[in-house]
Amino acid sequence: MDASVSVPCNKLESEGTSSAARHNLTLGLLVVQADSNFVGKGVLLQWLNTNLALKLEKIEDTCNGAVACQLIDCLHPGSINMKKVDFNVRNDYEFVGNYKVLQEGFTKSGVKKEFNVSSLSKGKFQDNCEFMQWFKGYWDEVTGGQDITDYDPVGRRQLCKTGDWKKYSLGASAAPRISAAGTIPAIRRSGSSAGSEPAVIAMPSKRGGSMAVAPASKAQPKPAAVPEVDDSMYRSQLAELNDQVTELKLKVETVERERDFYFDKLRDIEILCQAPELQSVPVVKIFEKILYAADAAEAKEAMQEAQQFYGAELSPEHLVPQEAQ
């Protein structure tokens, strides 16, 4: 971010700018970037609705992952395959596909940001608000705080699996975002600032007016010719490995969610068994033995006890420990 506003020190000093002023300028940029962590939901909604031609009412409406995909598509064109994104999914287990596409987009564009699919998919305000606050800060860092006027959000959404967002898109009523006269389209910066040209900054002159200060150009020696190497095979292998890593991350998230789901059920049964009103019920004691069994064999013994007590008929395979099958 600092590469786009940096000016050589000798230029600043020649115009009478002190080192304290340069320090304040740098400090101000850092403060603006840090302030994105405290952006309110009203500002976030206005920013999203304006730049993506939406009519979102709550931050939680971004929990399906499709909005995040389109933000990266807007900032880094070509990094998101919009044909894989689905804005009209409704269930949290369907959101995983969008987050997988988002992870692929992060990888392609060099964005180093971790996110918890399970937490975001639940649609809770805190998790989704923090995620959008990070996106707002990243947007300002990439664009320099400008709006991107050469992006068609509705047209891009129409390329998705089920078309445009039926619930929250402005659709045909959205005004086309075309650069007006005198408006400079936002500069999409790459992940690395190396090789980017510093912007021209208006600095105060000694006569009271202002003058444009451009960075000093320096002739660079012509680099020696480097033989071209076909690295397409390595790129293909790298992309395949990244896909595998993404797939494994999503599988782990799913397994952890299922684990928590069944653990909560067992915990409810345990609490029910500990109720004083049920302590005298024989079957409750059997439930506790099964819950607290140290291994499968001990649990099977509790089941056999239940069979003998209640005369229940269980199939033989249910009474044989799994290791003996």
mmCIF file of all heavy atoms in Angstrom, residues 303-304 306-308 310-316 318-319:
data_model
loop_
_atom_site.group_PDB
_atom_site.id
_atom_site.type_symbol
_atom_site.label_atom_id
_atom_site.label_comp_id
_atom_site.label_asym_id
_atom_site.label_seq_id
_atom_site.Cartn_x
_atom_site.Cartn_y
_atom_site.Cartn_z
ATOM 1 N N MET A 303 -25.872 -53.749 27.630
ATOM 2 C CA MET A 303 -26.988 -54.073 26.745
ATOM 3 C C MET A 303 -27.557 -55.450 27.077
ATOM 4 O O MET A 303 -28.779 -55.664 27.053
ATOM 5 C CB MET A 303 -26.531 -54.019 25.283
ATOM 6 C CG MET A 303 -26.203 -52.601 24.794
ATOM 7 S SD MET A 303 -25.662 -52.572 23.083
ATOM 8 C CE MET A 303 -27.147 -53.158 22.259
ATOM 9 N N GLN A 304 -26.676 -56.397 27.390
ATOM 10 C CA GLN A 304 -27.144 -57.726 27.785
ATOM 11 C C GLN A 304 -27.938 -57.660 29.094
ATOM 12 O O GLN A 304 -28.944 -58.369 29.274
ATOM 13 C CB GLN A 304 -25.953 -58.669 27.934
ATOM 14 C CG GLN A 304 -25.294 -59.023 26.609
ATOM 15 C CD GLN A 304 -24.053 -59.880 26.806
ATOM 16 O OE1 GLN A 304 -23.565 -60.045 27.912
ATOM 17 N NE2 GLN A 304 -23.545 -60.424 25.703
ATOM 18 N N ALA A 306 -29.700 -55.152 30.069
ATOM 19 C CA ALA A 306 -31.008 -54.593 29.726
ATOM 20 C C ALA A 306 -31.902 -55.655 29.115
ATOM 21 O O ALA A 306 -33.109 -55.711 29.381
ATOM 22 C CB ALA A 306 -30.824 -53.421 28.751
ATOM 23 N N GLN A 307 -31.311 -56.543 28.320
ATOM 24 C CA GLN A 307 -32.090 -57.613 27.690
ATOM 25 C C GLN A 307 -32.656 -58.558 28.757
ATOM 26 O O GLN A 307 -33.819 -58.966 28.695
ATOM 27 C CB GLN A 307 -31.227 -58.387 26.704
ATOM 28 C CG GLN A 307 -31.987 -59.492 25.975
ATOM 29 C CD GLN A 307 -31.069 -60.360 25.159
ATOM 30 O OE1 GLN A 307 -29.903 -60.529 25.523
ATOM 31 N NE2 GLN A 307 -31.572 -60.905 24.075
ATOM 32 N N GLN A 308 -31.821 -58.899 29.716
ATOM 33 C CA GLN A 308 -32.261 -59.811 30.761
ATOM 34 C C GLN A 308 -33.329 -59.167 31.658
ATOM 35 O O GLN A 308 -34.276 -59.820 32.092
ATOM 36 C CB GLN A 308 -31.066 -60.246 31.606
ATOM 37 C CG GLN A 308 -30.057 -61.080 30.820
ATOM 38 C CD GLN A 308 -28.797 -61.351 31.626
ATOM 39 O OE1 GLN A 308 -28.676 -60.905 32.765
ATOM 40 N NE2 GLN A 308 -27.857 -62.071 31.030
ATOM 41 N N TYR A 310 -35.466 -56.589 30.918
ATOM 42 C CA TYR A 310 -36.725 -56.258 30.257
ATOM 43 C C TYR A 310 -37.207 -57.338 29.301
ATOM 44 O O TYR A 310 -38.273 -57.203 28.703
ATOM 45 C CB TYR A 310 -36.575 -54.943 29.478
ATOM 46 C CG TYR A 310 -36.436 -53.737 30.369
ATOM 47 C CD1 TYR A 310 -35.190 -53.171 30.600
ATOM 48 C CD2 TYR A 310 -37.552 -53.185 30.993
ATOM 49 C CE1 TYR A 310 -35.046 -52.067 31.418
ATOM 50 C CE2 TYR A 310 -37.418 -52.073 31.827
ATOM 51 C CZ TYR A 310 -36.169 -51.512 32.027
ATOM 52 O OH TYR A 310 -36.036 -50.427 32.842
ATOM 53 N N GLY A 311 -36.416 -58.387 29.138
ATOM 54 C CA GLY A 311 -36.793 -59.431 28.214
ATOM 55 C C GLY A 311 -36.763 -58.976 26.769
ATOM 56 O O GLY A 311 -37.493 -59.504 25.920
ATOM 57 N N ALA A 312 -35.928 -57.987 26.472
ATOM 58 C CA ALA A 312 -35.840 -57.473 25.100
ATOM 59 C C ALA A 312 -35.101 -58.470 24.225
ATOM 60 O O ALA A 312 -34.176 -59.154 24.679
ATOM 61 C CB ALA A 312 -35.099 -56.134 25.103
ATOM 62 N N GLU A 313 -35.509 -58.575 22.981
ATOM 63 C CA GLU A 313 -34.866 -59.488 22.038
ATOM 64 C C GLU A 313 -33.984 -58.687 21.085
ATOM 65 O O GLU A 313 -34.475 -57.841 20.342
ATOM 66 C CB GLU A 313 -35.929 -60.259 21.247
ATOM 67 C CG GLU A 313 -36.760 -61.200 22.109
ATOM 68 C CD GLU A 313 -37.735 -62.013 21.276
ATOM 69 O OE1 GLU A 313 -37.715 -61.842 20.030
ATOM 70 O OE2 GLU A 313 -38.496 -62.796 21.853
ATOM 71 N N LEU A 314 -32.690 -58.963 21.148
ATOM 72 C CA LEU A 314 -31.731 -58.301 20.262
ATOM 73 C C LEU A 314 -31.122 -59.346 19.352
ATOM 74 O O LEU A 314 -30.914 -60.492 19.737
ATOM 75 C CB LEU A 314 -30.631 -57.597 21.069
ATOM 76 C CG LEU A 314 -31.114 -56.496 22.031
ATOM 77 C CD1 LEU A 314 -29.944 -55.976 22.836
ATOM 78 C CD2 LEU A 314 -31.778 -55.378 21.245
ATOM 79 N N SER A 315 -30.789 -58.953 18.132
ATOM 80 C CA SER A 315 -30.168 -59.892 17.196
ATOM 81 C C SER A 315 -28.782 -60.262 17.685
ATOM 82 O O SER A 315 -28.120 -59.467 18.345
ATOM 83 C CB SER A 315 -30.088 -59.259 15.811
ATOM 84 O OG SER A 315 -29.375 -58.038 15.880
ATOM 85 N N PRO A 316 -28.304 -61.478 17.389
ATOM 86 C CA PRO A 316 -27.003 -61.933 17.914
ATOM 87 C C PRO A 316 -25.853 -61.011 17.552
ATOM 88 O O PRO A 316 -24.944 -60.809 18.354
ATOM 89 C CB PRO A 316 -26.841 -63.316 17.265
ATOM 90 C CG PRO A 316 -28.229 -63.738 16.916
ATOM 91 C CD PRO A 316 -28.989 -62.493 16.592
ATOM 92 N N HIS A 318 -25.733 -57.901 17.411
ATOM 93 C CA HIS A 318 -25.672 -56.737 18.288
ATOM 94 C C HIS A 318 -25.017 -57.073 19.625
ATOM 95 O O HIS A 318 -24.575 -56.173 20.315
ATOM 96 C CB HIS A 318 -27.087 -56.196 18.550
ATOM 97 C CG HIS A 318 -27.696 -55.568 17.337
ATOM 98 N ND1 HIS A 318 -29.044 -55.313 17.234
ATOM 99 C CD2 HIS A 318 -27.142 -55.160 16.169
ATOM 100 C CE1 HIS A 318 -29.291 -54.751 16.052
ATOM 101 N NE2 HIS A 318 -28.149 -54.657 15.395
ATOM 102 N N LEU A 319 -25.005 -58.355 19.991
ATOM 103 C CA LEU A 319 -24.456 -58.749 21.282
ATOM 104 C C LEU A 319 -22.995 -59.129 21.207
ATOM 105 O O LEU A 319 -22.359 -59.344 22.215
ATOM 106 C CB LEU A 319 -25.269 -59.917 21.835
ATOM 107 C CG LEU A 319 -26.777 -59.645 22.018
ATOM 108 C CD1 LEU A 319 -27.457 -60.894 22.535
ATOM 109 C CD2 LEU A 319 -26.989 -58.492 22.981
#
